[in-house]
Each structure stands twice: as structure tokens, then as C-alpha cells.
Amino acid sequence: ELSRLIEQANADWLARVETERNLVSELGEKLATAKSLPDAAKAYQEWMARRMETMSKDSQKFFADSQKFVSSMNRFLAGGGKSGSS
């Protein structure tokens, strides 16, 4: 169970890194095509709003994953270190 949780968390965070890469790439494209300072400021403001949203989701996910990991570790330790069949 612990191994599965770690693998899932790893996959989730790799996907998150890809999302961040896409957001930064999109910002770069918008800044490169901005025709004025207000256009560039708007692109940056939109990016920052999306970034704050994803940071909030990241925090919630990290907390939920941490709780799952601690619960799984407690079950593991309560079983004397024996792996269960759940």
C-alpha cells in the first residue's frame, strides 16, 4: 500500500510539473505577442491568477496525500511491519 501511494504521488507531481511547464510556456507566448505594456501586464496577471489557483490545489493535494501516507504507515506499523493484503 505504501509503495502504491508513493508511486501515485510521484505520478501526480510529475503531471503537476508538466502543467507548470505548459503555463510558463503559454505565458512566454503571450508576452512575446503582446503589443503593448497593458497586454503584457494582463497576460502576467492571468498567469499569476492561474498560478495561485494551482498552488492552492497543490497545498490541498499535499495535505491529503500526507494524511493517506500517515494512515498507511500507522496501519503498517500496527501490523508489526507485515504487509497486508488491502
Side-chain angles (χ1 to χ4, degrees):
E1 180 181 7
L2 284 171
S3 177
R4 181 186 56 77
L5 287 172
I6 291 169
E7 287 175 13
Q8 184 61 50
N10 187 44
D12 290 345
W13 287 110
L14 287 174
R16 177 61 187 91
V17 168
E18 180 67 16
T19 299
E20 182 68 19
R21 186 192 67 76
N22 290 338
L23 283 174
V24 170
S25 177
E26 184 180 309
L27 173 63
E29 290 172 12
K30 286 182 178 182
L31 290 175
T33 60
K35 299 193 185 317
S36 67
L37 188 55
D39 288 345
K42 181 181 177 189
Y44 181 75
Q45 185 178 25
E46 289 171 355
W47 173 79
M48 184 57 78
R50 290 175 70 187
R51 183 79 176 91
M52 295 302 289
E53 180 183 332
T54 57
M55 286 173 60
S56 174
K57 289 178 183 178
D58 289 348
S59 296
Q60 293 170 1
K61 176 105 178 90
F62 179 77
F63 183 72
D65 287 350
S66 296
Q67 286 183 315
K68 289 177 190 176
F69 182 79
V70 168
S71 294
S72 180
M73 184 60 87
N74 285 337
R75 285 192 298 278
F76 177 77
L77 293 173
K82 300 174 189 169
S83 58
S85 58
S86 54

